[in-house]
């Protein structure tokens, strides 16, 4: 029988009155790059800490290679953790920082030298052995922390927001490096982030969490193209989420118009949430539009313009390379594959209207959290 590398079976974790994780069912396979994604406080770090053994489940079972982990102490687990705040030893140089664990394990000098050289090459810091840790940039220090974690050849590497303290450019470079490293090493990565772009670009599998519950598990493109509910649609990328009704298979009505779509299997007349991504909306002359509205805001974003359009009181976001002006009246057209239908959920009506969008711009320019 095929065993998953790690398996959560109905796992819950409660702290006093807070249910940090609620009935988690999840598996992780060998060599997978799995990302836990969600807003602050959703339970991602708790999930990682359960695997590392720093916390134990209140309920349910956690398996590693088919065996119950509950009686295995943290230091006996075949996992290694990289934290956002990389605790390097400031009084040791790069070499000794990386060699620390191997020295404790009484490995031979020759082996240690070989392994430290190998991982320094992997993190692109060959020749940095004798440098003091203080003389390195934040990005270099983070790479040393990663080198230190992988030098012991862990089966699984747990990474808790390892790039959050870095600036945007460095973060992007490190994302690519980490992904390449993971492929090269053949190590299973379980990666925690609240940054959806990071999750989309790096992962084989994304687990979206909110309030301790799994919202969706899937490949990045599935999560983006087929969000299961309004929370996922809103959290992953930008989404217009409109109240609609499924008239029959492949036919949905919203904003006072009937649209062809690719979805089926809903009851006739079933109320649904309709997702339209901002890049999937075509702008046409007013008279030719399926819907029309007033442009209330235009923001130049470099490659495209991001515009807000008031359509019957609901504010849509549209990304376009066309030039339009504030106050202009435009028509919009939607191809069937631009429309994605979701079941109503507890998140219906909470997201997807861009009326208060200008407030969100501040958050978008945040280079990372500093807590
Ligand atoms: P962040 O991105 O802010 O770190 P997170 O998604 O990692 O958030 P967790 O740290 O897993 O979230 O926390 C989930 C919930 O459990 C939160 O409500 C948090 O306050 C609570 N919690 C976590 N650890 C403890 C603890 N040791 N004692 C009490 N409550 C805790």
């Amino acid at each position: 029988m095929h065993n998953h590398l790690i398996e959560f079976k109905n796992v819950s974790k409660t702290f006093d009155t807070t249910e940090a994780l609620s009935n988690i069912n999840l598996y992780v396979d060998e060599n997978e790059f799995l990302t836990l994604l969600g807003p602050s406080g959703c339970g991602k770090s708790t999930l990682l800490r359960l695997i590392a053994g720093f916390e134990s489940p209140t309920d349910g079972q956690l398996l590693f290679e088919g065996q119950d982990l509950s009686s295995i102490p943290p230091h006996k687990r075949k996992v290694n953790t990289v934290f956002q705040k990389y605790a390097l030893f400031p009084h040791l140089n790069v070499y000794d920082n990386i060699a620390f664990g191997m020295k404790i394990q009484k490995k031979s000098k020759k082996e240690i030298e070989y392994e430290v050289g190998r991982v320094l090459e992997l993190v692109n810091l060959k020749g940095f052995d004798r440098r003091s840790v203080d003389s390195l940039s934040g990005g270099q220090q983070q790479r040393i922390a990663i080198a230190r974690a992988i030098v012991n050849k862990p089966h699984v590497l747990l990474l808790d927001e390892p790039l959050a303290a870095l600036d945007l450019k460095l973060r992007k470079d490190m994302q690519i490096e980490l992904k390449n490293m993971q492929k090269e090493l053949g190590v299973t990565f379980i990666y925690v982030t609240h940054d959806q772009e990071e999750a989309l670009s790096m992962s084989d599998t994304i687990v979206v969490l909110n309030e301790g519950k799994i919202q969706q598990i899937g490949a990045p493109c599935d999560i983006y193209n087929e969000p299961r509910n309004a929370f996922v649609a809103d959290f992953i990328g930008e989404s217009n989420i409109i109240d609609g009704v499924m008239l029959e298979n492949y036919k949905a009505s919203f904003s006072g118009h009937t649209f062809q779509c690719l979805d089926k299997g809903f009851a006739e007349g079933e109320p649904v949430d309709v997702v339209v991504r901002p890049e999937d909306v075509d702008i046409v002359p007013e008279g030719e539009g399926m819907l029309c509205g007033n442009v209330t805001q235009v923001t130049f974003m470099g490659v495209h313009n991001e515009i807000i359009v008031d359509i019957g009181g609901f504010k849509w976001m549209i990304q376009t390379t066309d030039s339009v002006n504030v106050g202009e009246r435009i028509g919009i057209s939607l191809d069937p594959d631009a429309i994605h239908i979701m079941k109503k959920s507890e998140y219906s009506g909470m997201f997807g209207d861009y009326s208060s969008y200008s407030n969100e711009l501040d958050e978008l320019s945040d280079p990372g959290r500093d807590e």
Side-chain angles (χ1 to χ4, degrees):
M1 191 189 100
H2 168 73
N3 273 332
H4 298 295
L5 183 61
I6 296 174
E7 199 164 0
F8 285 76
K9 288 186 165 171
N10 306 313
V11 169
S12 297
K13 175 68 185 173
T14 310
F15 296 103
D16 303 325
T17 51
T18 313
E19 191 166 45
L21 292 171
S22 167
N23 198 30
I24 299 293
N25 285 289
L26 173 69
Y27 61 80
V28 186
D29 278 332
E30 198 87 43
N31 292 342
E32 190 168 1
F33 193 128
L34 179 128
T35 298
L36 305 169
L37 174 69
S40 183
C42 70
K44 354 182 246 304
S45 300
T46 302
L47 209 152
L48 215 60
R49 292 170 64 78
L50 289 174
I51 301 172
F54 305 140
E55 305 284 357
S56 35
T58 315
D59 247 317
Q61 213 187 10
L62 179 51
L63 307 173
F64 193 98
E65 292 174 329
Q67 289 193 319
D68 194 304
L69 267 181
S70 52
S71 58
I72 318 276
H75 66 277
K76 293 241 170 83
R77 299 191 181 188
K78 293 191 230 163
V79 301
N80 222 325
T81 311
V82 182
F83 296 100
Q84 178 187 343
K85 296 248 161 48
Y86 30 90
L88 297 175
F89 303 114
H91 56 288
L92 299 182
N93 67 17
V94 166
Y95 183 93
D96 289 332
N97 259 286
I98 299 174
F100 189 81
M102 297 179 81
K103 282 184 179 164
I104 287 179
Q105 291 166 21
K106 304 256 183 306
K107 296 268 168 69
S108 75
K109 189 156 183 269
K110 202 168 155 212
E111 187 182 354
I112 295 178
E113 266 172 23
Y114 174 79
E115 292 297 338
V116 172
R118 181 183 65 89
V119 293
L120 276 176
E121 207 158 316
L122 261 174
V123 298
N124 250 326
L125 288 175
K126 205 175 157 194
F128 277 63
D129 329 28
R130 304 295 154 199
R131 288 276 292 270
S132 90
V133 163
D134 289 340
S135 74
L136 304 178
S137 72
Q140 290 167 336
Q141 290 190 21
Q142 187 58 302
R143 281 188 269 169
I144 299 300
I146 291 163
R148 193 175 60 177
I150 59 182
V151 76
N152 298 320
K153 305 198 176 110
H155 212 101
V156 178
L157 199 57
L158 307 175
L159 301 110
D160 196 350
E161 307 240 13
L163 309 182
L166 307 180
D167 66 38
L168 184 65
K169 173 79 174 63
L170 191 56
R171 206 153 81 215
K172 296 256 173 231
D173 291 347
M174 285 292 293
Q175 285 169 8
I176 296 167
E177 265 182 57
L178 268 182
K179 180 73 199 163
N180 290 341
M181 207 186 294
Q182 188 254 345
K183 270 195 235 146
E184 214 164 307
L185 289 169
V187 174
T188 305
F189 272 37
I190 304 182
Y191 193 98
V192 162
T193 184
H194 66 286
D195 178 337
Q196 44 100 8
E197 233 178 80
E198 190 161 290
L200 287 173
S201 64
M202 295 174 85
S203 324
D204 299 317
T205 306
I206 297 177
V207 179
V208 184
L209 283 165
N210 190 40
E211 293 179 336
K213 297 189 189 77
I214 293 178
Q215 304 297 320
Q216 190 165 0
I217 304 176
C221 62
D222 293 338
I223 299 246
Y224 187 85
N225 292 324
E226 303 285 330
R228 183 179 296 159
N229 62 37
F231 177 84
V232 178
D234 179 73
F235 198 76
I236 313 280
E238 300 295 341
S239 300
N240 301 292
I241 307 174
I242 308 117
D243 223 17
V245 171
M246 209 57 193
L247 299 176
E248 55 186 77
N249 283 344
Y250 313 116
K251 205 174 269 187
S253 160
F254 54 93
S255 306
H257 187 91
T258 298
F259 295 84
Q260 293 295 323
C261 61
L262 304 178
D263 300 75
K264 61 176 165 65
F266 294 83
E268 273 182 28
E270 182 174 338
V272 291
D273 286 336
V274 181
V275 181
V276 179
R277 296 288 186 183
E279 68 271 22
D280 293 338
V281 180
D282 292 326
I283 295 180
V284 296
E286 187 188 346
E288 295 166 26
M290 297 166 166
L291 302 174
C292 53
N294 286 318
V295 177
T296 62
Q297 192 180 318
V298 178
T299 312
F300 176 64
M301 303 293 286
V303 178
H304 61 265
N305 289 311
E306 205 159 78
I307 69 173
I308 304 295
V309 185
D310 187 327
I311 298 175
F314 190 92
K315 298 254 173 83
W316 289 56
M317 177 196 274
I318 300 174
Q319 291 166 350
T320 177
T321 49
D322 297 347
S323 61
V324 285
N325 299 307
V326 172
E328 198 175 322
R329 217 171 148 70
I330 59 169
I332 68 165
S333 172
L334 299 174
D335 286 340
D337 63 3
I339 295 165
H340 174 66
I341 309 291
M342 302 184 303
K343 288 242 175 226
K344 285 275 176 198
S345 72
E346 60 183 305
Y347 300 107
S348 296
M350 288 170 64
F351 305 107
D353 174 2
Y354 283 87
S355 293
S356 57
Y357 183 58
S358 47
N359 302 342
E360 284 183 30
L361 282 173
D362 293 337
E363 280 173 42
L364 292 178
S365 55
D366 176 9
R369 282 174 328 151
D370 192 17
E371 32 160 43

